[in-house]
Amino acid sequence: MLDFELLRDKGILIVTPHGPLEKADFERVAKEVDLYLAKDGMLSGVMIYAQGFPGWDSFAAFLAHFKFVKDHQRKVERLAVVTDSDLLKIMPHIVAHFAHPEVKQFPYGEKATALAWLETTR
């Protein structure tokens, strides 16, 4: 399950996983984000706020996640990964090789600092 909040006035998407990710999660997020992008063109940032990575509930969910990233990564200026998970901490190093956004990792307790960093793009 994936909760999300789109801060329209700041152009920032905050996603918070609460269990294995589902295909429908990415469909819900894409629908909301695509409406925003049709009007505003770019997201200033995306924040992944997660104590750990819950994985996917199915291969279809994994594919939906991959498609969401592929379709949207060029429309995001910055990605903040707010976590203490060792697995998610390495994500910025991997993403930097093939994705557009500038990526930075923050400790889980520093959500406000990460949000401030994302806000500096506007």
Side-chain angles (χ1 to χ4, degrees):
M1 168 132 226
L2 186 68
D3 289 336
F4 72 95
E5 178 181 12
L6 181 56
L7 307 176
R8 293 179 180 283
D9 59 325
K10 298 177 182 184
I12 295 173
L13 174 68
I14 301 172
V15 294
T16 308
H18 295 287
L21 304 175
E22 302 170 9
K23 179 181 178 190
D25 292 332
F26 297 101
E27 293 167 349
R28 285 185 304 110
V29 175
K31 183 178 178 182
E32 188 81 18
V33 168
D34 289 345
L35 287 172
Y36 177 86
L37 291 172
K39 180 179 174 247
D40 291 288
M42 266 319 251
L43 285 171
S44 294
V46 172
M47 177 190 297
I48 301 171
Y49 183 62
Q51 284 189 303
F53 180 65
W56 302 273
D57 78 341
S58 66
F59 187 66
F62 168 79
L63 291 176
H65 189 176
F66 183 78
K67 181 179 181 341
F68 179 84
V69 171
K70 181 180 77 66
D71 292 349
H72 296 90
Q73 56 99 11
R74 291 221 173 266
K75 299 171 186 169
V76 176
E77 293 181 40
R78 287 185 169 178
L79 172 64
V81 181
V82 185
T83 188
D84 287 334
S85 162
D86 289 336
L87 177 63
L88 290 177
K89 282 181 184 179
I90 66 167
M91 189 176 103
H93 304 290
I94 296 168
V95 170
H97 293 289
F98 63 88
H100 173 264
E102 179 182 356
V103 184
K104 189 171 178 181
Q105 189 270 324
F106 297 84
Y108 188 72
E110 294 186 20
K111 184 178 181 182
T113 303
L115 185 58
W117 179 73
L118 291 174
E119 290 174 343
T120 62
T121 62
R122 284 219 170 187

